Amino acid sequence: MIPIAKPLVGEAEAEAARRPITSGWLTQGPEVAAFEQEFAASVGAAHACAVSNCTTALHLALLAAGVGPGDEVVTVSHSFIATANAIRYGGGIPVFVDIDAVTGNMDPAQVDAAVTSKTRAILCVHQIGMPCDMPALLAVSARRGLPLIEDAACAIGSSIRIGDRWEAIGKPHGDIACFSFHPRKVITTGDGGMITTNNGEFDRKFRLWRQHGMSVPDSVRHGSPTVIFESYPVLGFNYRMTDVQAAIGREQLKRLPGIIESRRRLAARYHEALAAVPGVTPPHEPAWARSNWQSYGVRLADGIDQRRFMQAMLDRGVSTRRGIMNAHLEGAYAHEPWRAGGGLTASEAAQDEVVLLPLYAQMTTDEQDTVVEVLKTVVAELGGA
Ligand SMILES: *Cc1c(COP(=O)(O)O)cnc(C)c1O
């Protein structure tokens, strides 16, 4: 069976996890601080704040942007449901705009029309690692005076060309970017998240909120020669990352360039092998974008049923996943408030027509060739009817 994804972890991570265990300092301590510095340096951000996962990262980012009960946030429905859920945690109302059918990302042309006097922020998603058109989104955010938050859950290692320079997603180009280290993403700490910003005031708030709103972190009290009483000036949360996770993350960050190189090499092989296969359209990477190919999605032609295609692949030993979901079609959003900022036809079509193929850094060319051969067989079988 060829799986859809496989984290690249090994002895280096196991060894690193020993450090906090043997040191006796297990949560949000020196390993978290070091991971934050190394992460910030790797994306070129002034600040990086580690948290428990990307969903909590998004919650804090939206709080920092001032999104409160009844405020609208322009975003996409076509994303993992955590994007919309994070808006609801603070009482915000998601306003869903459609995607560009080619890139699968928020269509900047739709955003402006969706903004009202209630809009408090724009939340874009670098879906499955493909960078959004940031210059276009930044132009809308500047014109409307709205903060731009990037859901970069899947986008560590992706980059975008600004002028004549390639810049990492997470620099950030908007006001705040949020990353995930779930095992389905490109690097992992089991669970975990990171928030990058160049705004020192936002970073200070993230650090306060992630640890119960506590004025003096325990790491500072621990090292102090004088007695310190902490205070709790604001409502905080427990969104800490542990030092065990951070120690693993530091090793993952060392592997990142190699992981990106092999994912991009494999994606290029898929492009080449699938270009002339009738019935499937490979994904498109704009000239100004370099995806980390967190996922590789092909679009099935009209007449090829997604579920039957996926089942036939699975029957032959190849695991796939359907295209990215749409939050507005799920039961949770039959109850939760939201508004459509225009039609959502491209979003709905992408969910039903795209299929994600296996792709992981350690995938062999033999495994990849098997996927391609099986796909050709299945397409011929289903498409020929
Ligand atoms: C995975 C994902 C999230 C959630 O990340 P967690 O770390 O699991 O909370 C949010 N947004 C997008 C686009 C994702 O793919």
Side-chain angles (χ1 to χ4, degrees), residues 14-25 31 246-248 250-251:
E15 267 308 304
R18 291 178 60 85
R19 289 196 306 261
I21 294 168
T22 51
S23 80
W25 192 285
E31 296 287 346
I248 293 168
R250 296 176 69 190
E251 294 305 318

Side-chain angles (χ1 to χ4, degrees), residues 133-143 146 148 150 162 173-175:
D133 183 350
M134 292 309 288
L137 291 174
L138 283 166
V140 183
S141 102
R143 190 163 63 243
L146 293 168
L148 177 58
E150 302 169 57
I162 303 287
H173 296 92
D175 296 276

Side-chain angles (χ1 to χ4, degrees), residues 7-363:
L8 184 60
V9 288
E11 277 308 312
E13 285 77 7
E15 267 308 304
R18 291 178 60 85
R19 289 196 306 261
I21 294 168
T22 51
S23 80
W25 192 285
L26 282 119
T27 199
Q28 197 178 280
E31 296 287 346
V32 164
F35 185 34
E36 290 172 337
Q37 279 185 12
E38 290 157 10
F39 192 94
S42 86
V43 295
H47 308 279
C49 178
V51 289
S52 47
N53 56 63
C54 186
T55 309
T56 55
L58 290 166
H59 182 197
L60 298 188
L62 290 158
L63 268 183
V67 176
D71 290 339
E72 293 188 345
V73 178
V74 178
T75 190
V76 285
S77 173
H78 187 64
S79 181
F80 183 58
I81 198 162
T83 308
N85 287 353
I87 296 169
R88 291 296 304 133
Y89 294 165
I93 314 286
V95 175
F96 297 131
V97 296
D98 213 357
I99 55 165
D100 172 310
V102 176
T103 63
N105 279 331
M106 177 180 258
D107 181 353
Q110 307 285 322
V111 177
D112 206 60
V115 171
T116 68
S117 59
K118 288 184 175 169
T119 311
R120 194 49 66 90
I122 300 167
L123 173 55
C124 67
V125 184
H126 303 294
Q127 201 55 258
I128 59 174
M130 183 63 74
C132 289
D133 183 350
M134 292 309 288
L137 291 174
L138 283 166
V140 183
S141 102
R143 190 163 63 243
R144 294 295 196 150
L146 293 168
L148 177 58
I149 300 169
E150 302 169 57
D151 181 341
C154 298
I156 183 65
S158 297
S159 49
I160 183 169
R161 196 176 62 210
I162 303 287
D164 57 2
R165 289 184 20 188
W166 286 96
E167 296 184 345
I169 293 296
K171 193 174 178 290
H173 296 92
D175 296 276
I176 303 168
C178 301
F179 293 88
S180 172
F181 305 121
H182 182 272
R184 180 67 179 87
K185 317 301 186 188
V186 166
I187 59 173
T188 186
T189 59
D191 260 307
M194 192 70 80
I195 319 174
T196 63
T197 183
N198 294 322
N199 181 321
E201 185 55 22
F202 284 171
D203 185 65
R204 194 191 61 76
K205 287 180 173 169
F206 299 148
R207 288 168 195 283
L208 192 62
W209 287 334
R210 72 173 170 179
Q211 194 175 16
H212 306 286
M214 188 188 292
S215 62
V216 184
D218 43 17
S219 51
V220 172
R221 279 180 288 142
H222 181 73
S224 173
T226 55
V227 171
I228 300 177
F229 286 2
E230 81 283 13
S231 62
Y232 301 84
V234 297
L235 178 69
F237 308 88
N238 178 357
Y239 287 173
R240 281 184 300 249
M241 175 183 278
T242 69
D243 260 24
V244 180
Q245 291 167 297
I248 293 168
R250 296 176 69 190
E251 294 305 318
Q252 288 279 285
L253 212 47
K254 290 182 201 161
R255 292 188 197 262
L256 182 63
I259 289 175
I260 299 300
E261 195 195 305
S262 81
R263 297 189 82 94
R264 288 189 58 80
R265 185 172 37 77
L266 289 162
R269 278 189 97 245
Y270 265 146
H271 289 327
E272 206 180 304
L274 298 174
V277 178
V280 294
T281 308
H284 173 72
E285 183 179 62
W288 46 263
R290 277 191 197 145
S291 178
N292 63 6
W293 297 110
Q294 182 269 343
S295 292
Y296 189 90
V298 296
R299 191 175 283 258
L300 301 179
D302 269 1
I304 302 181
D305 180 74
Q306 186 189 45
R307 189 181 286 267
R308 285 182 64 204
F309 173 89
M310 292 173 65
Q311 188 63 52
M313 296 287 285
L314 192 60
D315 292 343
R316 289 170 175 79
V318 177
S319 182
T320 61
R321 294 290 180 272
R322 71 165 177 174
I324 300 301
M325 61 176 297
N326 288 295
H328 75 279
L329 298 178
E330 292 299 321
Y333 284 84
H335 311 295
E336 295 298 322
W338 59 276
R339 183 168 75 74
L344 297 171
T345 49
S347 300
E348 293 179 6
Q351 172 178 318
D352 295 342
E353 294 167 12
V354 172
V355 171
L356 310 182
L357 302 182
L359 180 63
Y360 37 92
Q362 64 277 48
M363 187 179 208

